[in-house]
Amino acid sequence: MTENSTEIFTGSFTQQEPIPEEAIEAAVAVMRHGRIHRYNLAEGEAGETALLEQEFAAQVGAKYCLAVASGGYALATSLRAVGVKPGDKVLTNAFTLAPVPGAIASVGAEPIFVGVTKALTIDLEDLQAKCAEAKVLMLSHMRGHLCDMDRLMEICDAAGVVVIEDCAHTMGAAWNGVPSGRHGLIGCYSCQTYKHVNSGEGGLLITDDAEVAARATMLSGSYMLYGRHLAAPEAEVFEQVKYDTPNISGRMDNLRAALLRPQLRGLDAQVTRWNDRYRMVEQGLGDVPGLTLVPRPAAETYVGSSFQFLLLDWTAEAIDAVLQRCAARGVEMKWFGVPEPVAFTSRYDSWRYAPAQSLPESDRILAGIIDMRIPLTFSIEDYALIARIIRSEVSAVFQGAG
Ligand SMILES: *Cc1c(COP(=O)(O)O)cnc(C)c1O
């Protein structure tokens, strides 16, 4: 079909798919017996939360897993578990979302922002240059784009920098076959409604490090009931940390865990559905003058739950015109270059609790990033139409401006 300026899309970009029946039934069973708190167990019962941890650890091949109240809580807990103290500096991405610098600020530490490349991944040269300034990197795989993880680990290992991965957008993704979250010391995931599995709120933390796992478990509010965890280290490890690890309650409950277990079993199938939709958009936006696609490296197994492209060096007026014209035809997109932060989108210069930093190369890229959610509630044909609409409006504005 050729581009048609009268086509309109009518779907809702924020409509979720329903929770799978199996998950609804499991959640109802929890409500029927009433033992919603993770440590409230009947004789011989493991509990949904402990089972979720055990299953997710097996799924990603980690020794230990802890389920918590949110992805942001998992990030902050990781920082505490590796010993980040008030006043410490923590490296992180300039291109990420507010919960990441927020987690750093929540422990009184200071973010040092590392630049973003046109591939929308962390700038490894900038990282190398800044590695001496901090002992921890909180690496955000923002919008699901993975950098060269082998190279990143080389840089960080050589500098003695501990890596905590923010996998809020990469649950189900991998680099060279290694699941996202398994390169660094700790991997953190979000189970919030807009991520890859949906329990409203929720987070998961994985690690192979016994002391980190024990500290994180105590921090999350295990009291002295850590023996009820099935994906935690031996009691001896807890013995060593239990008197000096504060309880900062942020546990997951059995109701959310019940919702998540069937969804995690279905994750691979969902990834395929996301990627079919993603590729339809990518194909539809090939060779549009003025529009730069984001390349996906062969080593990257990605989850196309959102789509980004660049309108690099366009004026703010022209980008705004594209967004408005697409919105008028039912296609909702977000712009990271917008001067005032809106909805979920904000930029490193909007986090004013952090010391101001200047990253001119990243500013140029951030100013051109356009971002679109890929809801699974739309069909592949819907995405063909969405791509036609974006294509025609980008072309119209580009020609008008040129
Ligand atoms: C959603 C998100 C988080 C944190 O998740 P919550 O569960 O909402 O706290 C962290 N990082 C990124 C990039 C996110 O999008």
Side-chain angles (χ1 to χ4, degrees):
M1 203 166 156
T2 53
E3 280 144 27
N4 176 338
S5 64
T6 62
E7 286 184 299
I8 284 191
F9 181 66
T10 54
S12 160
F13 276 83
T14 51
Q15 183 57 50
Q16 300 300 320
E17 289 197 301
I19 299 298
E21 274 314 310
E22 192 191 350
I24 294 175
E25 277 167 30
V28 169
V30 170
M31 288 189 279
R32 292 230 152 88
H33 64 55
R35 293 183 296 278
I36 299 179
H37 193 282
R38 67 167 297 163
Y39 300 124
N40 185 197
L41 302 170
E43 187 68 29
E45 185 186 28
E48 292 282 343
T49 311
L51 290 170
L52 167 73
E53 291 165 341
Q54 195 174 41
E55 290 163 2
F56 191 65
Q59 193 164 344
V60 293
K63 277 194 188 154
Y64 311 115
C65 175
L66 175 71
V68 294
S70 73
Y73 182 88
L75 293 172
T77 302
S78 301
L79 292 169
R80 290 193 172 97
V82 301
V84 173
K85 295 278 177 310
D88 286 357
K89 297 198 171 10
V90 175
L91 296 157
T92 195
N93 306 59
F95 176 47
T96 185
L97 289 175
V100 179
I104 296 169
S106 80
V107 300
E110 267 184 17
I112 299 177
F113 298 110
V114 183
V116 61
T117 69
K118 273 193 249 179
L120 302 192
T121 53
I122 193 164
D123 181 337
L124 294 177
E125 273 174 43
D126 193 29
L127 175 65
Q128 184 140 40
K130 290 172 177 165
C131 254
E133 294 175 49
K135 293 201 167 58
V136 176
L137 164 66
M138 181 159 275
L139 173 66
S140 185
H141 304 300
M142 179 61 176
R143 286 299 185 253
H145 298 275
L146 292 171
C147 71
D148 180 339
M149 285 303 296
D150 302 319
R151 182 74 195 115
L152 177 129
M153 289 310 301
E154 259 170 42
I155 294 170
C156 291
D157 287 346
V161 167
V162 165
V163 178
I164 298 169
E165 294 182 69
D166 165 27
C167 306
H169 305 162
T170 55
M171 180 188 273
W175 181 262
N176 267 329
V178 177
S180 184
R182 296 291 294 135
H183 292 89
L185 183 68
I186 307 176
C188 298
Y189 306 78
S190 169
C191 311
Q192 186 243 74
T193 291
Y194 298 101
K195 314 299 164 90
H196 297 174
V197 289
N198 174 12
S199 57
E201 304 284 357
L204 293 161
L205 181 162
I206 56 157
T207 184
D208 281 352
D209 187 289
E211 186 184 328
V212 165
R215 284 194 188 279
T217 303
M218 298 289 309
L219 283 162
S220 77
S222 66
Y223 308 101
M224 297 298 162
L225 300 169
Y226 45 78
R228 298 189 187 173
H229 286 246
L230 300 176
E234 307 288 304
E236 294 91 270
V237 187
F238 285 93
E239 297 296 327
Q240 287 155 28
V241 303
K242 69 181 186 186
Y243 299 111
D244 62 9
T245 308
N247 176 323
I248 305 173
S249 292
R251 295 168 299 268
M252 180 172 282
D253 58 77
N254 288 332
L255 193 52
R256 289 195 174 116
L259 293 176
L260 291 171
R261 290 176 62 212
Q263 293 184 58
L264 282 173
R265 288 195 285 276
L267 180 63
D268 287 350
Q270 297 294 76
V271 170
T272 304
R273 295 176 64 219
W274 262 309
N275 288 353
D276 289 345
R277 286 158 177 76
Y278 181 98
R279 286 182 190 122
M280 179 54 87
V281 177
E282 188 177 49
Q283 202 184 312
L285 294 183
D287 300 319
V288 181
L291 183 154
T292 309
L293 289 175
V294 181
R296 308 297 318 222
E300 183 194 35
T301 304
Y302 61 87
V303 183
S305 55
S306 67
F307 194 93
Q308 293 73 40
F309 59 85
L310 295 167
L311 298 179
L312 210 51
D313 302 328
W314 284 45
T315 63
E317 293 69 32
I319 293 182
D320 204 42
V322 168
L323 264 74
Q324 289 197 27
R325 292 171 70 131
C326 287
R329 294 177 66 185
V331 177
E332 241 181 72
M333 297 188 294
K334 298 285 183 300
W335 175 30
F336 273 87
V338 72
E340 264 307 301
V342 282
F344 289 110
T345 314
S346 62
R347 235 180 10 197
Y348 75 93
D349 53 346
S350 356
W351 306 320
R352 292 184 199 159
Y353 48 82
Q357 267 184 258
S358 164
L359 299 161
E361 259 311 296
S362 296
D363 290 343
R364 174 179 170 236
I365 291 160
L366 287 166
I369 301 177
I370 310 295
D371 178 42
M372 180 174 74
R373 302 190 61 238
I374 304 279
L376 289 174
T377 43
F378 302 166
S379 68
I380 296 180
E381 295 69 44
D382 287 339
Y383 283 102
L385 168 59
I386 287 168
R388 283 199 299 278
I389 292 173
I390 298 173
R391 192 184 176 91
S392 73
E393 296 306 337
V394 168
S395 302
V397 176
F398 189 70
Q399 277 158 19

